[in-house]
Amino acid sequence: MSNYATDIFTPLFAKIQEVTGFPDLVKKQKDIKDVLDEEEQAFTKTLSRGERQFEKYSAQASATGSKKLSGANVWRLSDTYGFPEDLTKLMAEERGLSIDENEVADARQKARQDSMVIKNSVQTFAKLNIHQLAKLKETLQLPPSDDESKFSKGNITARVQLIFTGSEFLESTKGIPPNEPFGLLLDRTNFYAEQGGQVTDTGRIIIGVDVAEFKVLDVQQLGGYIVHNGYLEYGELKAGDEVVSEYDELRRQLIRNNHTGTHILNHSIREVLGDIDQHGSLVDQDRLRFDFSHKATITISDLKVIEDMSNAYIRRDCKVYAKVVELELALRINGIRAVFGEKYINPVRVVSVGIDVDKILEKPENPQWRNFSIELCGGTHVAKTGSIKEMVIVEENGIASGIRRVVAYTGNAAYAAQRDAAEFAKRIDEIDALPFGAEKEAAVKAAARDRENLIISKVTAEGLEAKFTKVVKSVTDEQKKRQKAESKAAFDAVTGHFAKVENKDVKFFIGYLPISANAKVIFDVINHYKTNEKEKSVYLFGGSTAEGAVVHGVYVAKDLALKGVTAEAWAAAVSKVVGGKSGGKEPTRQGRGTNAEKIDDAVEAARNWLEQKLRL
């Protein structure tokens, strides 16, 4: 199995587009093609790497005369190398190797338990303090880490310098307990350490194929030294070992999108709101967050202009340039952006979106440069803005006096937000088209719950909110009309019963009212008799099989109470028929059940219970 076929999904997408003719597919065909190509290339790389590792495990089994691939190795192929378990099983069968599913399950469970312990520990992992930093510099005379490769793509080779346990420096991992978090210092690294609002890279540091592997979960920098925090998956590491440093490129790609997206957003906000000061940011693989000075809430119309302007910038597919420049010269660039109050160390790195830094430096005061995003920044960025694909602003609020915060998604996350918005808009239309009734009410309630967790463009959300509010109001208005109509129908039914000549001496009513499963109407009627016509007892029912629900309520007048009738016992007899439970305080009780098809039986049960009680 090797030489995996590529360029499969793009032709398939072209065929789907041809057959369906969906306008959105035509509109975003380039973006969709780019996503498909990226995913296909990443998966092909995963398959190739996993296949090589599978062949090694297979050879090991054959060398020992075993006819079985161990569960631990099957799980490692999946967890470490991303190789699908189904594919492992298929290839094992082709080589006459069996797999014990219980062993795989045990390995999976153990790995998850270990991972939870490790991640919790890494969150509180000790960072280098000033005394340890001094020891590295003065006592051990260790050169600072070379991290220039963090701006490039791909793996690099490096050498282990020291192992850091949080309290001491070691030259070997021998003696460190399994699953014990620790730090690695390398002579050079391509991992990005957490700084400047950008989160740390993750990945792994390995020796050869299956010799040793260190999982990197966190990277920190202090005084020029980079500490890779994580745990040893297997093997042993010691000072001087040559290793391969492999950050998670797919995760880094998302972070790059969001970081360059932050620069573009910063520029767009300034263009719309005027000069603002940046007061912080957070860039991770999921979203970007940008804090800035502004006294008022940003209007939806301004947010739309900012979002549209950012996407126009992205779609120009501008090249991103970076250059290390003397601080004094960099600060002369017209319109250059920097974090408010931040002290920058000379020299600084200038990142420009759409124009070469060298061209800018030829005439730094040129007012034309304000048309571009130019910032002091030490983070990782895309090569061209087209990689970002799309941006949606999902949140805007105040976090302190005079400080606003904007949160946005880019790339596939932005597409997902747009799809969610479109699907919710369609859902609102479908609900609006429903005839008024229990189904429509339930649909509105469910949509209202889901809306709370809906993360979409703030601009789009404004329109959807107005649209949904209109539907909710129409349902509420209908409910009020129905409530009024059902309340009248219920009172008419009960008072009509007592008003009949033949019922002039009757002191109770048991009946199925012409209403839905409307508990409030039941409450209003029994409360009326409890308050205004206390000598009359009522047991009322409402609901229908269409709703799948039945409501019932009882008020026991004093004359029946003196004969041993209680609302609790009476309602309990009914609940046995309609299901559910009842509650309340004597002399009233209300309940709800789901056996709506048995409403008539319940009414009969209520009559029989009372007759039997009065006969005793």
Side-chain angles (χ1 to χ4, degrees):
M1 189 173 176
S2 53
N3 300 319
Y4 296 102
T6 56
D7 198 25
I8 295 173
F9 290 109
T10 298
L12 182 60
F13 164 67
K15 190 64 179 177
I16 292 172
Q17 181 182 344
E18 177 187 333
V19 172
T20 62
F22 289 143
D24 281 351
L25 295 181
V26 177
K27 181 181 176 183
K28 296 187 176 181
Q29 57 182 319
K30 182 181 182 302
D31 294 331
I32 295 172
K33 181 181 180 301
D34 289 345
V35 172
L36 289 172
D37 288 345
E38 288 171 8
E39 294 296 332
E40 190 168 11
Q41 289 167 12
F43 189 59
T44 299
K45 180 180 177 182
T46 295
L47 290 179
S48 298
R49 190 177 69 172
E51 183 185 6
R52 290 195 298 271
Q53 193 62 25
F54 173 85
E55 295 296 350
K56 179 175 180 180
Y57 291 149
S58 176
Q60 289 174 348
S62 298
T64 59
S66 173
K67 292 293 184 181
K68 185 175 77 171
L69 204 60
S70 76
N73 284 343
V74 173
W75 173 244
R76 183 177 293 173
L77 281 168
S78 173
D79 185 42
T80 304
Y81 297 94
F83 203 63
E85 286 187 38
D86 289 344
L87 190 53
T88 299
K89 292 172 186 176
L90 181 63
M91 292 174 66
E93 287 176 7
E94 291 175 350
R95 288 160 177 74
L97 296 173
S98 64
I99 293 174
D100 187 327
E101 295 288 353
N102 290 330
E103 281 188 9
V104 178
D106 290 344
R108 182 187 300 114
Q109 183 62 24
K110 182 178 184 302
R112 287 174 179 169
Q113 291 172 348
D114 290 345
S115 178
M116 185 62 69
V117 172
I118 290 158
K119 286 181 180 179
N120 289 340
S121 299
V122 169
Q123 288 174 1
T124 56
F125 196 89
K127 308 297 188 291
L128 285 171
N129 58 41
I130 56 173
H131 304 293
Q132 293 161 339
L133 187 62
K135 183 176 182 180
L136 288 174
K137 287 182 176 179
E138 298 165 13
T139 307
L140 301 176
Q141 296 186 339
L142 194 71
S145 310
D146 174 4
D147 66 344
E148 189 62 29
S149 296
K150 69 186 178 187
F151 297 122
S152 304
K153 285 188 177 182
N155 305 337
I156 65 168
T157 57
R159 290 197 178 275
V160 176
Q161 291 180 305
L162 288 172
I163 290 90
F164 176 53
T165 67
S167 59
E168 60 180 332
F169 298 103
L170 304 176
E171 294 197 347
S172 171
T173 60
K174 192 173 183 178
I176 295 179
N179 299 326
E180 180 76 19
F182 60 89
L184 272 186
L185 283 85
L186 307 179
D187 63 339
R188 59 194 296 258
T189 184
N190 54 350
F191 279 81
Y192 187 89
E194 181 179 6
Q195 56 189 313
Q198 180 173 327
V199 297
T200 174
D201 276 336
T202 59
R204 60 183 194 151
I205 294 169
I206 60 175
I207 297 179
V209 180
D210 219 23
V211 176
E213 178 177 339
F214 178 76
K215 290 274 192 183
V216 180
L217 302 179
D218 172 72
V219 186
Q220 298 294 323
Q221 185 271 145
L222 182 65
Y225 293 99
I226 310 292
V227 181
H228 307 76
N229 292 323
Y231 68 98
L232 196 63
E233 179 82 5
Y234 55 84
E236 182 182 329
L237 293 169
K238 59 183 182 300
D241 279 345
E242 184 176 86
V243 296
V244 174
S245 181
E246 182 184 291
Y247 67 87
D248 185 340
E249 167 59 24
L250 293 180
R251 182 174 178 272
R252 167 86 75 85
Q253 177 183 318
L254 300 176
I255 296 170
R256 281 195 296 260
N257 286 348
N258 285 333
H259 203 150
T260 307
T262 304
H263 284 214
I264 291 172
L265 178 65
N266 185 354
H267 178 266
S268 298
I269 290 174
R270 183 183 66 181
E271 290 295 292
V272 175
L273 302 182
D275 280 328
I276 50 104
D277 290 321
Q278 180 178 344
H279 281 259
S281 64
L282 175 65
V283 177
D284 63 21
Q285 68 274 22
D286 298 319
R287 64 184 64 79
L288 64 90
R289 190 185 77 200
F290 182 69
D291 301 339
F292 58 97
S293 59
H294 190 64
K295 292 182 179 180
T297 300
I298 305 176
T299 65
I300 291 298
S301 58
D302 279 347
L303 274 179
K304 185 178 188 310
V305 175
I306 291 168
E307 188 174 274
D308 289 346
M309 188 178 291
S310 297
N311 281 312
Y313 207 148
I314 289 167
R315 292 185 187 116
R316 287 202 296 270
D317 200 22
C318 300
K319 185 175 179 180
V320 179
Y321 300 87
K323 184 180 180 67
V324 176
V325 178
E326 288 294 311
L327 178 60
E328 183 182 357
L329 177 57
L331 293 178
R332 287 169 51 198
I333 298 173
N334 196 331
I336 194 165
R337 311 301 292 164
V339 179
F340 180 77
E342 184 83 5
K343 293 189 181 298
Y344 291 91
I345 299 174
N346 189 42
V348 292
R349 185 167 176 261
V350 175
V351 175
S352 168
V353 182
I355 186 166
D356 196 325
V357 177
D358 285 329
K359 183 174 180 60
I360 294 171
L361 296 178
E362 290 174 5
K363 192 177 180 182
E365 292 86 1
N366 189 339
Q368 181 185 351
W369 305 150
R370 293 183 66 87
N371 296 325
F372 298 90
S373 166
I374 308 169
E375 295 195 28
L376 300 182
C377 179
T380 60
H381 290 273
V382 299
K384 300 183 78 175
T385 59
S387 301
I388 302 171
K389 300 182 181 68
E390 194 85 11
M391 179 188 294
V392 296
I393 296 171
V394 299
E395 185 180 329
E396 188 279 330
N397 54 48
I399 59 170
S401 179
I403 306 296
R404 308 300 298 178
R405 169 171 291 173
V406 168
V407 178
Y409 287 172
T410 66
N412 292 341
Y415 286 154
Q418 290 173 331
R419 284 195 304 272
D420 289 345
E423 288 171 4
F424 195 74
K426 181 181 177 183
R427 183 175 175 185
I428 294 173
D429 289 337
E430 290 171 348
I431 293 172
D432 194 28
L434 289 173
F436 179 74
E439 183 184 1
K440 188 167 188 173
E441 290 179 2
V444 166
K445 287 181 181 178
R449 287 194 301 269
D450 293 342
R451 181 190 53 172
E452 297 299 318
N453 299 318
L454 194 64
I455 302 177
I456 60 175
S457 166
K458 185 86 173 175
V459 175
T460 306
E462 182 82 358
L464 283 183
E465 184 65 25
K467 191 175 184 179
F468 187 60
T469 299
K470 185 178 178 181
V471 174
V472 172
K473 185 179 184 303
S474 71
V475 171
T476 303
D477 289 345
E478 285 294 332
Q479 285 175 329
K480 288 178 180 177
K481 289 180 185 177
R482 186 187 68 181
Q483 187 74 22
K484 187 175 181 180
E486 289 195 344
S487 183
K488 183 179 184 304
F491 274 103
D492 287 350
V494 181
T495 56
H497 169 79
F498 287 121
K500 289 179 180 179
V501 175
E502 63 268 29
N503 293 335
K504 66 177 182 178
D505 296 324
V506 175
K507 295 297 183 183
F508 63 86
F509 169 79
I510 302 171
Y512 179 14
L513 304 178
I515 63 171
S516 63
N518 193 328
K520 188 177 185 307
V521 170
I522 297 289
F523 173 81
D524 288 344
V525 176
I526 64 174
N527 195 53
H528 167 80
Y529 281 93
K530 176 185 174 184
T531 306
N532 301 309
E533 299 185 56
K534 300 179 180 181
E535 75 284 358
K536 295 175 181 177
S537 300
V538 292
Y539 205 127
L540 313 174
F541 294 83
S544 66
T545 52
E547 296 170 276
V550 53
V551 292
H552 57 102
V554 59
Y555 160 65
V556 178
K558 190 174 182 180
D559 67 318
L560 289 185
L562 292 174
K563 296 175 182 178
V565 176
T566 65
E568 181 180 6
W570 203 353
V574 170
S575 292
K576 288 180 181 179
V577 180
V578 297
K581 295 180 179 180
S582 68
K585 186 177 180 181
E586 295 292 340
T588 63
R589 198 85 172 176
Q590 278 191 262
R592 187 179 185 89
T594 55
N595 300 332
E597 72 281 0
K598 294 184 178 181
I599 294 178
D600 291 334
D601 295 339
V603 173
E604 190 62 29
R607 287 198 182 101
N608 292 338
W609 185 89
L610 182 61
E611 288 175 5
Q612 186 177 5
K613 191 70 177 175
L614 296 179
R615 195 180 300 128
L616 294 176

